[in-house]
Amino acid sequence: EELRRKAIRMRNADYGPAMKTETPHTVQFTQDIQHPRIEKGHRSVEIWKREPHARVSVTFDRIASTDPELFFLDFSLPRPVPLPVFSSGGMAFTPYRDQLKGSCRDHFAIDGWAQYRTDAGQWLWVTRDAPLVAVGGPHTLEMHQAEPADTHRITAMVFDNSWHTNFVADSHGTMEFQFELAWAPEIVDPAALAEALTSGPIVFTNPAEHDPPVLIKAFQKG
């Protein structure tokens, strides 16, 4: 733990003023992100007016560096909430409680969603990018085992170039991540709801030009 405190430096981002935009269906707030390790960035939360649904988008340009570095995005749900239910490989489990003794609890590989079941309804937190997540805050190299007190806090690891690989992991430039948060009195199938929330609309565009006569004639013959 002493080595960990000396080796790891943590730096939170700062944020500019929130700018509000509104449509007939949603309200959106956007802020610039300031951090010494990014060139520029912004975050936004879009809140639906007629349904309990919000979307968080984060974009930033990481400055090139080969130094070991991790980026986390931190989310806090309304308190109190119990430990979330995750899914890994299609199997639901509660972290810390449904694990083998001594297994990794610093972070968890999930299928993309976390379900929070409370007496006042259920929350579903969804990520399109399926990162590693941690409960209670980033526990980098902690090797901790105890259940965290801040069960309402879920942290997504969206960048890590400290894994041992056979190449220099200097990913830089624009990175974009998107998350969904939904509430319902009861969520029976969280996996199906997560898939629906992250599915984009199917758009058909009619071209302004008409099909050439030779093509129409060929279709008519067919």
Side-chain angles (χ1 to χ4, degrees), residues 16-221:
M19 306 298 293
K20 178 183 176 181
T21 57
E22 189 168 353
T23 72
H25 306 288
T26 64
V27 179
Q28 184 170 352
F29 299 90
T30 303
Q31 289 178 295
D32 289 336
I33 304 174
Q34 294 98 33
H35 193 278
R37 290 298 307 128
I38 66 173
E39 185 69 31
K40 60 182 179 180
H42 66 268
R43 66 177 183 177
S44 68
V45 56
E46 187 174 13
I47 304 168
W48 270 251
K49 295 180 179 180
R50 298 176 182 86
E51 58 184 280
H53 174 207
R55 174 175 295 157
V56 176
S57 301
V58 179
T59 303
F60 58 82
D61 288 356
R62 176 180 176 270
I63 299 171
S65 173
T66 57
D67 292 338
E69 193 167 62
L70 294 88
F71 282 70
F72 296 93
L73 301 178
D74 204 32
F75 298 81
S76 293
L77 277 75
R79 301 186 191 188
V81 293
L83 282 168
V85 174
F86 292 148
S87 174
S88 183
M91 299 295 294
F93 73 99
T94 301
Y96 299 93
R97 298 179 184 178
D98 296 335
Q99 291 183 257
L100 294 174
K101 184 178 180 180
S103 58
C104 178
R105 303 180 184 191
D106 286 354
H107 50 252
F108 306 93
I110 66 170
D111 291 338
W113 54 265
Q115 183 181 14
Y116 290 83
R117 300 167 175 165
T118 75
D119 295 336
Q122 300 183 9
W123 293 94
L124 189 69
W125 176 91
V126 185
T127 169
R128 294 172 181 265
D129 308 291
L132 296 175
V133 299
V135 181
H139 302 296
T140 305
L141 302 178
E142 280 188 13
M143 299 179 66
H144 85 125
Q145 293 291 305
E147 293 185 15
D150 296 333
T151 54
H152 69 289
R153 186 179 173 194
I154 184 167
T155 302
M157 182 193 297
V158 294
F159 179 83
D160 180 7
N161 68 345
S162 64
W163 294 91
H164 295 287
T165 63
N166 58 355
F167 61 93
V168 177
D170 180 24
S171 301
H172 54 88
T174 302
M175 303 182 188
E176 184 173 1
F177 306 95
Q178 197 169 84
F179 303 83
E180 310 286 337
L181 184 65
W183 179 91
E186 184 179 9
I187 300 174
V188 178
D189 191 342
L193 179 56
E195 183 178 0
L197 289 171
T198 55
S199 297
I202 300 174
V203 179
F204 291 92
T205 303
N206 293 321
E209 300 81 9
H210 296 288
D211 292 326
V214 62
L215 184 58
I216 296 176
K217 187 176 181 179
F219 284 144
Q220 289 173 345
K221 286 184 178 180

